Amino acid sequence: MSAAAKLPLAGLRVVELAGELADSGTRLLADLGAEVVKVEPPEGAAGRRRTPMGDISRWAWHLNNANKLGVVLDTADVCDMTKLRDLVDAADILVDCWGPGRLADAGLEPGRLTAEVPGLVVVQVSAFGQTGPYRDLQATEHVLYAMGGVLSRSGFPGAEPLLPPVGLVEGHTGAHVAWAALLAHYQARRTHRGESVDVSAYEAVVHGLDPVFGTQGSAAAARPDTFPRGRPDSRNYYPVYRCADGHVRTCLLSRRQWRAMFEWLGSPEEFADPKFDAIPARFHAAERLNAVIQEFFDRHTRAELVEEGAERGIPIAEVLDVADVLTVPHFVTSGVLTDVEIAPGVTARVPSGQVRVDGVRAGHRSRSPELGEHDDVVFGADGFWPPRVLPAGPELVDGDRPFAGLRVLDLGVNVFGAELGRQFADNGADVIKVENAAYPDGLRQSRREGAFAASFAWGNRNKRGLGLNLRSPRGVEIFRSLVATADVVVANFKPGALAGLGLTHEILAEINPRIILCDASAFGNVGEWRKRLGYGPLVRASCGVSALWAYPDVEYGSADGSTVYPDHVAAQVAAVSVLAGLIARLESGRGCLIELAQSDVALTHLGGHLAAESLQPGSVGPEGNIALAEAPSGVFPCAGDDEWCVVSVRDDDDWARLCRVVGRPELADHPLLGNVAGRLRNRAAAAGVLTQWLIRRDREESIAALQQAGVPAGLMARGPDQLDDAQLTARGAFVDLEHPALPMPLRANLQVGTYTSVPAAPLLPAPVRGEHTREIAASLLGLTDQEVEALVADGILQPEQ
């Protein structure tokens, strides 16, 4: 039996029409066992054709296309289009990245395909979606960072805003593509009807990278309710400090963590007031507090600080660059970094895969295909795939959401935990959030004492709340009783915590062989760092993201403090993996163990950087606001107060278009600027042409003119801008989320992806702590009122107070 045959998506057939926004999503499906056929045009996919100047993106393309079969088809050839239609007729999922309208123009209109091919799922992926006023606009990762609101929160106050490293947009979009494909497939298995999904990379950034109107990290308790025009000094949220041999980052979120740091610092009288137990007070005193911590850390090495911090329960991590990451023993021991062939004749140390299934990494099995490498296999005389038969699943009643009838026991905490459980709650599962009053979820921290936290309301909507003390044997016994009625258990405790509670997958499977357990943590269950405390900001620091998301040649240059990446996308990858397990269970009747390390997700997004550094040591560092293979490209000032835009000139054609727009057509053939190589050597001169034009003109008109000419460009959007954005409004990207404990409705993200028949999520309010304890005790556990009251008296069941 092949390695893929043991994976949960073994037997799933996916056809991908080449385009980079979905590459990592179909790679994730392939990692989980799906058979993915990548269809390229005769000239090859754009990523394949990149010049050596774009090494990071070129290697990322090869990594994102590992584990796939590659074929070539020409849409202008009638015979080739017949082959494509035959391939689609035998597939489960078609992923279309050709661009808005092109699939229909080729005679493959999605609605007709799903009507003619029973149960077929068509996922269309584009920069802005198949509908809306931005549908035909051009975009790059950098443009989407600007328009999606990330750029406005990145960088130091008073300085030019800073672009994050490349790879994050594609990684986020890919995770949502994989989710949309499997969610629609799971729905099709239950309705026996096809489904079409429209996925927008723009919405994946707005809703999925680090949403302004969605679940935010605990440090958000320090942020004001207003949206300041300037960038907040996000260095104070998750500070980076110099030490004797480099830099470290801390995450002081809970009272316990702060008190441990306070004692380690020698209990300075200035910070003895109990008010500093709360995040807002420490944030407002950041200048003085950081100076005290800095003076202390200057006397110690990274290793000393991390080790002592772990002993004291203080989350601390080294800030590592990409070269450091490649040599970290933990990443090699855990199997996430491995030396493999990534392209014909090219071997590098790269991320293998993002999850482990039943103890085996679902990762790299074969390099990316050469152009047309598998034509003979796929289009041989005997045919590649036999005629397709859609296996049935339990039927749904019309109007039901995909997970109707499923139950999820949600032990998750903070952003990752909230977002993972929410994917299932929004789509119809009965998600029971289990909390212990003595250890409340960090998301319940609020800017105002006693107030209901917006982040908790966003991340835990549509769930029920059960107050249960799992630190007592009787509480564990009650939880095990619930497992017998459940389909999925999700948790993101530190490694070993579930085992300490007697809730390993082996034990749960004895109770319920169909149970799927998702056990997630910062650095995973295998390797030297498995016991490390970790939050998203520490994961970023340890995986090289913070060192790349930095102003070049600036000490303390990391400008990633406003985000909790990779929490949201790691939760999405975990949800994809759990859903893969549910699909496999339709056939096998057995559950599985899903293990995920957030660090593995972040490393995967930096795959191109890691490959480039592995192949050419010393070549990779922070790029700032330039794209290595493009000029002019980056962040440019616009007319107005702190107004900026991003423009990407991808090639000589873009340059010629730009020259016509700015009224300098003669520069298209300029001896120093008329080709990519010349512009890269003369970046300042090329950028000056654009800057001089932008700074004198209305910014909206400038961007519209560039886009009309076909040049990727976008304005830097701030959070409130999203609510009035024409594209997001047209696609219904936001809804009003009401909660009885909140003074007014919250604007909230709905979902990434527009489906033909999957109903939109309901908007039931997140539970107050223990809100449904009595209801669950009676309906699921069969306890009498007297038994419930006895358990409440003993502190085992914890109803709403």
Side-chain angles (χ1 to χ4, degrees):
M1 181 182 292
S2 68
K6 301 177 183 178
L7 293 165
L9 295 183
L12 189 74
R13 304 169 178 182
V14 180
V15 175
E16 176 203 334
L17 304 181
E20 292 174 84
L21 286 173
D23 279 348
S24 68
T26 49
R27 162 69 198 271
L28 177 55
L29 298 180
D31 283 359
L32 290 166
E35 204 157 27
V36 178
V37 177
K38 186 179 188 71
V39 179
E40 298 183 65
E43 67 273 18
R48 183 189 293 282
R49 293 182 277 115
R50 283 205 175 90
T51 65
M53 290 300 298
D55 269 349
I56 289 173
S57 295
R58 182 161 63 102
W59 296 131
W61 184 89
H62 281 288
L63 292 175
N64 286 335
N65 287 287
N67 295 342
K68 301 178 186 178
L69 302 173
V71 301
V72 169
L73 291 174
D74 185 350
T75 56
D77 186 291
V78 174
C79 291
D80 277 4
M81 290 305 292
T82 299
K83 290 179 181 178
L84 177 57
R85 179 56 199 260
D86 289 344
L87 198 60
V88 171
D89 284 351
D92 296 295
I93 297 169
L94 172 64
V95 178
D96 160 38
C97 302
W98 281 353
R102 286 193 59 198
L103 192 65
D105 291 344
L108 298 171
E109 199 278 321
R112 185 161 62 85
L113 284 178
T114 56
E116 294 175 353
V117 185
L120 176 68
V121 168
V122 178
V123 183
Q124 296 188 275
V125 189
S126 58
F128 295 101
Q130 303 291 316
T131 62
Y134 299 175
R135 163 189 139 127
D136 296 316
L137 296 190
Q138 298 293 306
T140 61
E141 283 215 9
H142 286 173
V143 169
L144 290 170
Y145 282 137
M147 296 179 67
V150 179
L151 181 63
S152 67
R153 293 181 285 161
S154 176
F156 298 162
E160 181 177 283
L162 182 68
L163 289 166
V166 296
L168 274 59
V169 167
E170 206 285 332
H172 278 76
T173 304
H176 286 282
V177 167
W179 172 257
L182 293 188
L183 181 67
H185 175 70
Y186 193 78
Q187 175 88 340
R189 291 281 294 268
R190 304 189 71 181
T191 62
H192 317 293
R193 294 192 297 268
E195 182 78 22
S196 182
V197 194
D198 175 6
V199 176
S200 154
Y202 180 39
E203 289 165 33
V205 173
V206 169
H207 293 329
L209 203 158
D210 191 24
V212 175
F213 302 101
T215 316
Q216 301 170 357
S218 299
R223 298 175 186 167
D225 290 322
T226 58
F227 289 91
R229 284 189 55 77
R231 280 161 296 288
D233 196 346
S234 60
R235 289 169 290 186
N236 294 329
Y237 295 142
Y238 310 107
V240 171
Y241 299 99
R242 181 185 63 249
C243 59
D245 60 348
H247 295 84
V248 295
R249 166 172 274 167
T250 64
C251 279
L252 299 176
L253 303 180
S254 70
R255 177 186 180 279
R256 175 182 53 79
Q257 292 163 356
W258 158 245
R259 299 307 299 179
M261 173 61 82
F262 175 72
E263 293 173 8
W264 194 15
L265 294 172
S267 303
E269 182 63 29
E270 182 180 5
F271 301 105
D273 192 310
K275 72 179 183 181
F276 291 108
D277 290 349
I279 290 174
R282 297 197 298 275
F283 182 84
H284 291 305
E287 184 174 350
R288 304 191 324 271
L289 178 58
N290 287 342
V292 172
I293 296 176
Q294 181 61 77
E295 181 181 2
F296 181 74
F297 280 12
D298 271 333
R299 304 193 294 269
H300 301 278
T301 66
R302 293 188 304 191
E304 290 169 347
L305 291 170
V306 171
E307 182 178 356
E308 183 67 17
E311 289 293 322
R312 294 175 176 268
I314 302 169
I316 302 179
E318 308 98 323
V319 178
L320 302 179
D321 61 27
V322 172
D324 293 330
V325 169
L326 288 170
T327 65
V328 171
H330 169 79
F331 294 141
V332 177
T333 302
S334 68
V336 65
L337 290 186
T338 185
D339 299 314
V340 294
E341 184 184 29
I342 61 172
V346 179
T347 297
R349 177 163 291 183
V350 294
S352 175
Q354 302 177 78
V355 297
R356 288 158 46 96
V357 181
D358 287 335
V360 177
R361 185 168 294 277
H364 194 284
R365 299 186 302 276
S366 61
R367 59 162 173 77
S368 63
E370 295 187 68
L371 185 61
E373 181 175 348
H374 302 102
D375 282 356
D376 291 342
V377 175
V378 175
F379 302 124
D382 296 332
F384 178 54
W385 284 327
R388 179 177 171 279
V389 176
L390 179 68
E395 293 191 11
L396 285 179
V397 176
D398 281 349
D400 273 350
R401 283 164 288 148
F403 300 136
L406 292 181
R407 178 165 296 124
V408 177
L409 303 182
D410 184 354
L411 297 172
V413 295
N414 297 318
V415 175
F416 177 97
E419 288 296 294
L420 173 53
R422 184 178 67 81
Q423 302 305 319
F424 293 91
D426 279 359
N427 286 287
D430 175 21
V431 178
I432 297 175
K433 180 167 179 59
V434 181
E435 284 186 274
N436 185 341
Y439 302 92
D441 191 327
L443 287 188
R444 289 196 182 273
Q445 294 189 72
S446 177
R447 298 182 183 95
R448 294 173 297 281
E449 186 175 355
F452 198 89
S455 277
F456 194 89
W458 276 315
N460 290 283
R461 68 190 190 194
N462 297 323
K463 301 178 184 179
R464 295 198 287 169
L466 169 65
L468 180 63
N469 180 7
L470 285 176
R471 301 253 172 158
S472 70
R474 180 67 175 122
V476 172
E477 181 183 333
I478 289 173
F479 185 83
R480 289 176 177 171
S481 297
L482 288 173
V483 168
T485 74
D487 299 277
V488 178
V489 175
V490 298
N492 61 319
F493 300 147
K494 64 182 179 182
L498 287 177
L501 294 171
L503 298 176
T504 62
H505 183 252
E506 291 79 5
I507 292 172
L508 299 185
E510 288 179 4
I511 300 168
N512 179 357
R514 294 173 55 81
I515 201 72
I516 294 170
L517 171 63
C518 181
D519 184 7
S521 59
F523 296 103
N525 295 322
V526 177
E528 291 82 348
W529 288 3
R530 65 187 180 278
K531 294 184 179 180
R532 280 196 174 193
L533 295 171
Y535 298 99
L538 300 186
V539 171
R540 292 200 303 277
S542 298
C543 293
V545 177
S546 299
L548 290 174
W549 195 334
Y551 290 98
D553 305 319
V554 175
E555 188 178 24
Y556 303 96
S558 295
D560 64 336
S562 67
T563 177
V564 294
Y565 168 86
D567 283 63
H568 293 85
V569 68
Q572 196 69 48
V573 172
V576 169
S577 305
V578 170
L579 181 47
L582 288 168
I583 290 170
R585 197 184 70 172
L586 292 174
E587 300 297 320
S588 70
R590 298 187 304 276
C592 62
L593 170 64
I594 303 292
E595 297 171 282
L596 178 139
Q598 290 197 47
S599 56
D600 296 0
V601 176
L603 290 171
T604 297
H605 292 174
L606 294 188
H609 297 80
L610 292 162
E613 178 66 23
S614 173
L615 293 167
Q616 189 177 351
S619 64
V620 176
E623 298 173 12
N625 282 333
I626 67 169
L628 293 180
E630 300 172 357
S633 184
V635 178
F636 298 89
C638 298
D641 176 25
D642 194 37
E643 299 293 353
W644 305 84
C645 68
V646 167
V647 179
S648 297
V649 175
R650 300 163 295 188
D651 51 31
D652 293 343
D653 289 339
D654 277 352
W655 173 247
R657 297 183 189 106
L658 183 147
C659 291
R660 289 194 295 272
V661 171
V662 303
R664 300 290 303 277
E666 75 279 4
L667 294 180
D669 299 315
H670 191 280
L672 298 181
L673 302 177
N675 58 68
V676 172
R679 292 194 300 278
L680 292 175
R681 287 192 299 268
N682 298 277
R683 279 187 181 276
V689 172
L690 181 57
T691 300
Q692 291 170 19
W693 181 77
L694 282 169
I695 203 69
R696 301 192 304 267
R697 292 175 52 89
D698 177 84
R699 63 194 193 107
E700 284 85 3
E701 291 179 0
S702 300
I703 296 304
L706 290 168
Q707 280 284 1
Q708 188 172 7
V711 179
L715 294 172
M716 181 185 78
R718 294 173 170 86
D721 298 336
Q722 295 176 359
L723 300 180
D724 299 320
D725 179 84
Q727 180 73 2
L728 297 175
T729 299
R731 290 172 62 83
F734 293 106
V735 293
D736 281 332
L737 176 64
E738 296 185 350
H739 196 288
L742 291 171
M744 64 184 66
L746 293 171
R747 293 301 282 167
N749 58 293
L750 193 56
Q751 62 187 4
V752 175
T754 302
Y755 300 76
T756 53
S757 65
V758 173
L763 296 171
L764 300 177
V768 299
R769 197 161 48 229
E771 179 176 350
H772 303 97
T773 299
R774 297 182 189 277
E775 171 187 309
I776 292 168
S779 63
L780 298 184
L781 297 171
L783 298 176
T784 65
D785 290 346
Q786 292 81 4
E787 290 171 326
V788 169
E789 294 310 317
L791 290 167
V792 170
D794 291 339
I796 295 167
L797 286 179
Q798 302 163 351
E800 177 183 355
Q801 298 297 317

mmCIF file of all heavy atoms in Angstrom, residues 162 165 321 546-554 620-626 628:
data_model
loop_
_atom_site.group_PDB
_atom_site.id
_atom_site.type_symbol
_atom_site.label_atom_id
_atom_site.label_comp_id
_atom_site.label_asym_id
_atom_site.label_seq_id
_atom_site.Cartn_x
_atom_site.Cartn_y
_atom_site.Cartn_z
ATOM 1 N N LEU A 162 5.069 48.994 6.319
ATOM 2 C CA LEU A 162 5.966 47.920 5.882
ATOM 3 C C LEU A 162 5.192 46.712 5.389
ATOM 4 O O LEU A 162 4.310 46.200 6.077
ATOM 5 C CB LEU A 162 6.879 47.501 7.041
ATOM 6 C CG LEU A 162 7.906 46.420 6.730
ATOM 7 C CD1 LEU A 162 8.956 46.956 5.754
ATOM 8 C CD2 LEU A 162 8.577 45.929 8.006
ATOM 9 N N PRO A 165 6.369 39.698 4.491
ATOM 10 C CA PRO A 165 7.062 38.876 3.487
ATOM 11 C C PRO A 165 6.080 38.182 2.557
ATOM 12 O O PRO A 165 4.927 37.931 2.923
ATOM 13 C CB PRO A 165 7.846 37.864 4.339
ATOM 14 C CG PRO A 165 7.134 37.829 5.651
ATOM 15 C CD PRO A 165 6.576 39.199 5.862
ATOM 16 N N ASP A 321 16.531 34.223 12.297
ATOM 17 C CA ASP A 321 16.422 34.504 10.872
ATOM 18 C C ASP A 321 16.308 33.189 10.112
ATOM 19 O O ASP A 321 16.369 32.101 10.699
ATOM 20 C CB ASP A 321 17.584 35.359 10.376
ATOM 21 C CG ASP A 321 18.946 34.710 10.561
ATOM 22 O OD1 ASP A 321 19.033 33.462 10.594
ATOM 23 O OD2 ASP A 321 19.941 35.459 10.648
ATOM 24 N N SER A 546 9.223 36.926 11.795
ATOM 25 C CA SER A 546 9.478 38.252 12.369
ATOM 26 C C SER A 546 10.742 38.872 11.790
ATOM 27 O O SER A 546 10.800 40.090 11.560
ATOM 28 C CB SER A 546 9.593 38.147 13.894
ATOM 29 O OG SER A 546 8.401 37.669 14.463
ATOM 30 N N ALA A 547 11.766 38.054 11.569
ATOM 31 C CA ALA A 547 13.019 38.577 11.016
ATOM 32 C C ALA A 547 12.842 39.043 9.576
ATOM 33 O O ALA A 547 13.543 39.959 9.127
ATOM 34 C CB ALA A 547 14.102 37.503 11.090
ATOM 35 N N LEU A 548 11.920 38.433 8.829
ATOM 36 C CA LEU A 548 11.650 38.853 7.456
ATOM 37 C C LEU A 548 10.663 40.016 7.408
ATOM 38 O O LEU A 548 10.736 40.858 6.507
ATOM 39 C CB LEU A 548 11.090 37.682 6.649
ATOM 40 C CG LEU A 548 12.065 36.550 6.326
ATOM 41 C CD1 LEU A 548 11.320 35.399 5.659
ATOM 42 C CD2 LEU A 548 13.199 37.032 5.423
ATOM 43 N N TRP A 549 9.737 40.061 8.359
ATOM 44 C CA TRP A 549 8.733 41.126 8.429
ATOM 45 C C TRP A 549 9.362 42.286 9.203
ATOM 46 O O TRP A 549 8.949 42.644 10.295
ATOM 47 C CB TRP A 549 7.499 40.606 9.136
ATOM 48 C CG TRP A 549 6.255 41.419 8.988
ATOM 49 C CD1 TRP A 549 6.151 42.750 8.734
ATOM 50 C CD2 TRP A 549 4.910 40.929 9.101
ATOM 51 N NE1 TRP A 549 4.837 43.129 8.698
ATOM 52 C CE2 TRP A 549 4.053 42.039 8.910
ATOM 53 C CE3 TRP A 549 4.361 39.676 9.356
ATOM 54 C CZ2 TRP A 549 2.664 41.907 8.964
ATOM 55 C CZ3 TRP A 549 2.991 39.551 9.417
ATOM 56 C CH2 TRP A 549 2.144 40.652 9.224
ATOM 57 N N ALA A 550 10.392 42.882 8.627
ATOM 58 C CA ALA A 550 11.204 43.848 9.355
ATOM 59 C C ALA A 550 11.786 44.894 8.411
ATOM 60 O O ALA A 550 11.989 44.639 7.223
ATOM 61 C CB ALA A 550 12.342 43.130 10.092
ATOM 62 N N TYR A 551 12.061 46.071 8.975
ATOM 63 C CA TYR A 551 12.791 47.082 8.222
ATOM 64 C C TYR A 551 14.241 46.624 8.081
ATOM 65 O O TYR A 551 14.901 46.332 9.093
ATOM 66 C CB TYR A 551 12.756 48.418 8.959
ATOM 67 C CG TYR A 551 11.407 49.089 8.993
ATOM 68 C CD1 TYR A 551 10.579 48.970 10.094
ATOM 69 C CD2 TYR A 551 10.980 49.880 7.930
ATOM 70 C CE1 TYR A 551 9.343 49.608 10.134
ATOM 71 C CE2 TYR A 551 9.747 50.518 7.957
ATOM 72 C CZ TYR A 551 8.931 50.377 9.063
ATOM 73 O OH TYR A 551 7.712 51.003 9.102
ATOM 74 N N PRO A 552 14.766 46.534 6.871
ATOM 75 C CA PRO A 552 16.156 46.105 6.701
ATOM 76 C C PRO A 552 17.121 47.052 7.430
ATOM 77 O O PRO A 552 16.926 48.267 7.458
ATOM 78 C CB PRO A 552 16.370 46.165 5.180
ATOM 79 C CG PRO A 552 14.999 46.077 4.599
ATOM 80 C CD PRO A 552 14.101 46.775 5.583
ATOM 81 N N ASP A 553 18.129 46.451 8.042
ATOM 82 C CA ASP A 553 19.209 47.217 8.679
ATOM 83 C C ASP A 553 18.742 48.095 9.833
ATOM 84 O O ASP A 553 19.348 49.128 10.136
ATOM 85 C CB ASP A 553 19.939 48.085 7.640
ATOM 86 C CG ASP A 553 20.465 47.273 6.469
ATOM 87 O OD1 ASP A 553 20.980 46.164 6.706
ATOM 88 O OD2 ASP A 553 20.351 47.742 5.325
ATOM 89 N N VAL A 554 17.636 47.714 10.473
ATOM 90 C CA VAL A 554 17.145 48.458 11.631
ATOM 91 C C VAL A 554 17.064 47.504 12.819
ATOM 92 O O VAL A 554 16.388 46.480 12.753
ATOM 93 C CB VAL A 554 15.757 49.068 11.366
ATOM 94 C CG1 VAL A 554 15.217 49.743 12.630
ATOM 95 C CG2 VAL A 554 15.821 50.066 10.225
ATOM 96 N N VAL A 620 19.091 35.241 1.838
ATOM 97 C CA VAL A 620 17.720 35.625 2.197
ATOM 98 C C VAL A 620 17.715 36.477 3.457
ATOM 99 O O VAL A 620 18.304 36.118 4.477
ATOM 100 C CB VAL A 620 16.842 34.378 2.407
ATOM 101 C CG1 VAL A 620 15.444 34.778 2.868
ATOM 102 C CG2 VAL A 620 16.746 33.568 1.118
ATOM 103 N N GLY A 621 17.054 37.603 3.365
ATOM 104 C CA GLY A 621 16.871 38.489 4.503
ATOM 105 C C GLY A 621 15.648 39.334 4.279
ATOM 106 O O GLY A 621 14.925 39.162 3.288
ATOM 107 N N PRO A 622 15.377 40.279 5.174
ATOM 108 C CA PRO A 622 14.192 41.119 4.995
ATOM 109 C C PRO A 622 14.302 41.952 3.723
ATOM 110 O O PRO A 622 15.342 42.553 3.443
ATOM 111 C CB PRO A 622 14.188 41.993 6.251
ATOM 112 C CG PRO A 622 15.588 41.962 6.760
ATOM 113 C CD PRO A 622 16.131 40.625 6.392
ATOM 114 N N GLU A 623 13.221 41.971 2.950
ATOM 115 C CA GLU A 623 13.212 42.697 1.682
ATOM 116 C C GLU A 623 12.652 44.096 1.829
ATOM 117 O O GLU A 623 12.756 44.911 0.895
ATOM 118 C CB GLU A 623 12.377 41.926 0.653
ATOM 119 C CG GLU A 623 12.932 40.552 0.337
ATOM 120 C CD GLU A 623 12.001 39.739 -0.549
ATOM 121 O OE1 GLU A 623 11.046 40.315 -1.100
ATOM 122 O OE2 GLU A 623 12.222 38.528 -0.679
ATOM 123 N N GLY A 624 12.057 44.408 2.976
ATOM 124 C CA GLY A 624 11.434 45.707 3.123
ATOM 125 C C GLY A 624 10.270 45.854 2.167
ATOM 126 O O GLY A 624 9.459 44.949 2.019
ATOM 127 N N ASN A 625 10.215 46.979 1.479
ATOM 128 C CA ASN A 625 9.072 47.267 0.613
ATOM 129 C C ASN A 625 9.376 47.095 -0.868
ATOM 130 O O ASN A 625 8.748 47.718 -1.713
ATOM 131 C CB ASN A 625 8.564 48.684 0.874
ATOM 132 C CG ASN A 625 7.736 48.765 2.138
ATOM 133 O OD1 ASN A 625 7.132 47.787 2.564
ATOM 134 N ND2 ASN A 625 7.722 49.924 2.775
ATOM 135 N N ILE A 626 10.326 46.237 -1.193
ATOM 136 C CA ILE A 626 10.589 45.962 -2.598
ATOM 137 C C ILE A 626 10.259 44.505 -2.897
ATOM 138 O O ILE A 626 10.206 43.665 -1.998
ATOM 139 C CB ILE A 626 12.056 46.248 -2.981
ATOM 140 C CG1 ILE A 626 13.001 45.254 -2.265
ATOM 141 C CG2 ILE A 626 12.438 47.683 -2.686
ATOM 142 C CD1 ILE A 626 14.419 45.302 -2.781
ATOM 143 N N LEU A 628 11.948 41.580 -5.086
ATOM 144 C CA LEU A 628 13.281 41.375 -5.633
ATOM 145 C C LEU A 628 13.297 41.321 -7.151
ATOM 146 O O LEU A 628 14.270 41.730 -7.784
ATOM 147 C CB LEU A 628 13.882 40.094 -5.059
ATOM 148 C CG LEU A 628 14.199 40.107 -3.556
ATOM 149 C CD1 LEU A 628 14.786 38.768 -3.134
ATOM 150 C CD2 LEU A 628 15.152 41.250 -3.214
#
